[in-house]
Amino acid sequence: MKRKSFFLTALGIGFFFLGIMLGLALSAGVVWGEIEARLYTSFTATSGLRTLECPLMLAPAESGIVTATFDNLTDELAKPVIRLETSHPGGARQTSQALSLAPGTTQTLNWTVGADDAIFGRLILVSVYQSQYRQLPSRLGCCGILVLGLFGLSGSQTFTLTFAVSILGLMVGGALWLLRMRSLGGPVLAVTNAGGVLAAIVLAGMLSALPRWWGLTLFCLALTVLMIGVIVTEFILFPTVNK
């Protein structure tokens, strides 16, 4: 009976920390790409381009579509120049295209990127710049795309699989952990509560990565590392403090 209890407890902890590590890796990958994209670009603008859409992840043999929508909210014809800058191992590549936007109209542009554009082995960095034209301000949007494929899956499938396994690990591991520890108090209850807080922070980080709210994701990553440090210090390295 004791052996079974120990096995279930170890299994729960193992599943739980698998979920934590996968969630941490997923969030960190998104934040890494977003920060690198902003450091890599050679453009500056007066405002952000909020309509830029990029894949979160692409497989090594896969190509993806980058989409941006441009609008003219002024009362006169606007002819901004749109510049796309993509990373490349041999140096950044740029293309440009002039638009003609009547007052109150919008236009959407699409570009194709692929693993050939990756630098650092894993990142495709994209910048889309809209030049200023009379009353129309300059705008800039940046994004990073992680290049990773597992088991022959596409990038979106790999991202979804990792996300799902992380959630499953947190749920199954947390349930087993709570089932084995709920009747105990003191330090065991404290570390269980700390684990619940840690899981919530990791989940918030993954969810914030989906819309690329990288500032919030970075904040959650910092909290995750802090919580892991607290758990290791308070309950593993110096457990006598809590007795």
Side-chain angles (χ1 to χ4, degrees):
M1 183 63 68
K2 289 184 178 180
R3 183 175 298 179
K4 180 180 178 181
S5 177
F6 174 80
F7 174 76
L8 289 176
T9 301
L11 187 63
I13 293 175
F15 271 117
F16 182 79
F17 279 100
L18 173 64
I20 293 292
M21 292 300 105
L22 286 178
L24 192 62
L26 204 61
S27 300
V30 172
V31 168
W32 178 36
E34 294 302 296
I35 292 176
E36 289 290 354
R38 283 155 178 77
L39 294 175
Y40 189 82
T41 184
S42 61
F43 301 124
T44 57
T46 57
S47 60
L49 182 63
R50 301 183 181 277
T51 57
L52 178 62
E53 297 181 4
C54 303
L56 286 167
M57 189 178 292
L58 290 176
E62 185 182 13
S63 61
I65 303 297
V66 173
T67 302
T69 300
F70 307 92
D71 55 33
N72 178 14
L73 301 180
T74 70
D75 56 1
E76 61 181 3
L77 178 68
K79 297 181 179 181
V81 175
I82 308 302
R83 292 186 173 90
L84 171 74
E85 182 178 66
T86 56
S87 59
H88 192 266
R93 297 190 296 190
Q94 292 188 14
T95 60
S96 62
Q97 179 177 348
L99 299 184
S100 181
L101 298 173
T105 62
T106 64
Q107 186 171 343
T108 299
L109 297 181
N110 299 313
W111 301 272
T112 301
V113 296
D116 291 343
D117 300 309
I119 59 174
F120 309 129
R122 291 292 178 186
L123 284 182
I124 302 170
L125 307 179
V126 178
S127 300
V128 177
Y129 173 75
Q130 173 193 295
S131 66
Q132 181 177 359
Y133 187 88
R134 296 180 181 175
Q135 300 180 38
L136 196 67
S138 60
R139 296 178 180 138
L140 175 63
C142 302
C143 67
I145 304 169
L146 191 63
V147 178
L148 180 65
L150 299 176
F151 315 118
L153 299 175
S154 67
S156 61
Q157 290 170 336
T158 298
F159 188 93
T160 301
L161 176 63
T162 307
F163 193 99
V165 172
S166 177
I167 297 296
L168 184 63
L170 291 175
M171 293 178 61
V172 174
L176 286 174
W177 190 352
L178 184 61
L179 180 65
R180 304 308 306 171
M181 302 298 183
R182 63 183 177 182
S183 61
L184 303 177
V188 175
L189 180 59
V191 73
T192 301
N193 293 336
V197 174
L198 177 61
I201 296 172
V202 170
L203 179 59
M206 288 194 297
L207 291 175
S208 65
L210 294 176
R212 294 183 183 272
W213 295 344
W214 68 273
L216 178 57
T217 308
L218 182 60
F219 178 72
C220 290
L221 281 172
L223 281 182
T224 299
V225 173
L226 179 62
M227 281 298 301
I228 292 175
V230 169
I231 291 173
V232 170
T233 301
E234 294 294 321
F235 303 105
I236 298 178
L237 296 181
F238 305 105
T240 56
V241 174
N242 300 288
K243 291 183 179 179

